Amino acid sequence: MLAGLLLLISLPPLVAKDPCKDSQDGFKVRLSIKTALGDNAYEWNESEMFLFRSTLAYAMRKQSNQNTYDITNILVCNDTQRVSFVFVVTSPGNPDQLIPKEQVERAVRQNKHRINSAFLLSDMTLEFMGIPPTLAAPITYDTEPWLIVFGVVIGAVAVGIVALLMSTVSKKRRAKEKAAGLSEEDEEIVKENGTALSSLGRKEGTYNQAFSNDERFTKL
């Protein structure tokens, strides 16, 4: 009877639950290395798992601002050859206490780009089931885009106005030069015909030998 009681007392530690397999605070991870890298895909092995646990410990340190996390706090279970597994995070001060799932999720989301880059993967090929893909931070500009567009439009309008004014001035100048050229040409023509513009107002005019009755000019 006494032996039976001793056996019952010592039985619970022997059948203690696995903190990873039986936990509700674990996340399943799925990696698609072949899909992402094709012929350059690397083999998933113990070294790669060590790297994963290290990156998770790094993420927990960054999120909690505590340097007490290490790979012993990242427990992995249910791993398969198709590169999927479940992990949980234990407390640095108490290995039997699991970190709440919400805190682990925040750590993963805040450092997902670092985790992805460690394995040359992306949100689509390194999936934390239950954690939505991270969104890229919105791009900020020193100058608002609409202000840049507005400046370009105003500049183009100003250039167009200046070009139009210069074209108008150039046309007027050419017109004046053309008019002045025609006046000089007319004056030369008139002078060649024997009539000077300056003498148009005089009655006697200029003697034109072409209309002379002198026999010296009409004799064959």
Side-chain angles (χ1 to χ4, degrees):
M1 186 67 179
L2 183 59
L5 292 175
L6 293 175
L7 180 61
L8 293 175
I9 294 174
S10 61
L11 185 60
L14 296 176
V15 294
K17 293 184 177 180
D18 187 321
C20 179
K21 294 182 178 179
D22 301 320
S23 173
Q24 298 298 321
D25 292 320
F27 286 99
K28 183 177 181 179
V29 180
R30 184 168 56 195
L31 295 87
S32 303
I33 302 173
K34 185 68 175 179
T35 300
L37 303 178
D39 295 337
N40 296 321
Y42 51 84
E43 180 184 359
W44 185 263
N45 51 35
E46 290 297 324
S47 296
E48 300 297 331
M49 181 61 77
F50 178 85
L51 177 60
F52 176 83
R53 296 171 67 191
S54 299
T55 56
L56 260 295
Y58 163 82
M60 293 302 301
R61 288 189 177 196
K62 293 285 289 185
Q63 193 278 328
S64 63
N65 292 322
Q66 297 180 8
N67 294 329
T68 53
Y69 285 95
D70 56 37
I71 63 171
T72 60
N73 298 116
I74 312 300
L75 304 183
V76 177
C77 60
N78 298 337
D79 51 329
T80 66
Q81 292 183 351
R82 300 190 65 178
V83 195
S84 67
F85 50 85
V86 176
F87 77 93
V88 294
V89 181
T90 62
S91 173
N94 183 4
D96 295 328
Q97 180 182 355
L98 296 181
I99 300 299
K101 196 171 184 177
E102 294 77 12
Q103 184 177 348
V104 177
E105 179 177 350
R106 287 196 299 269
V108 171
R109 288 180 62 84
Q110 291 174 7
N111 299 276
K112 188 60 162 57
H113 63 290
R114 300 293 298 273
I115 300 172
N116 289 345
S117 62
F119 298 98
L120 307 178
L121 301 176
S122 66
D123 285 342
M124 298 297 102
T125 52
L126 200 170
E127 302 174 85
F128 287 77
M129 311 305 294
I131 301 179
T134 54
L135 299 177
I139 301 175
T140 57
Y141 300 93
D142 294 335
T143 304
E144 293 294 334
W146 68 266
L147 189 58
I148 296 175
V149 175
F150 178 76
V152 171
V153 172
I154 293 299
V157 172
V159 171
I161 293 174
V162 172
L164 181 61
L165 292 175
M166 293 180 64
S167 176
T168 303
V169 172
S170 179
K171 287 182 179 178
K172 288 183 178 180
R173 183 179 300 173
R174 286 198 298 268
K176 289 182 179 180
E177 292 176 353
K178 185 176 181 181
L182 288 176
S183 298
E184 292 178 358
E185 184 178 354
D186 291 341
E187 184 177 354
E188 292 296 329
I189 293 173
V190 172
K191 286 183 178 180
E192 289 176 359
N193 288 334
T195 304
L197 292 176
S198 59
S199 62
L200 288 176
R202 294 185 299 176
K203 295 181 179 181
E204 64 271 16
T206 301
Y207 182 74
N208 192 340
Q209 294 181 355
F211 296 95
S212 173
N213 293 325
D214 196 330
E215 294 181 355
R216 292 175 302 173
F217 297 99
T218 58
K219 187 178 180 179
L220 297 176

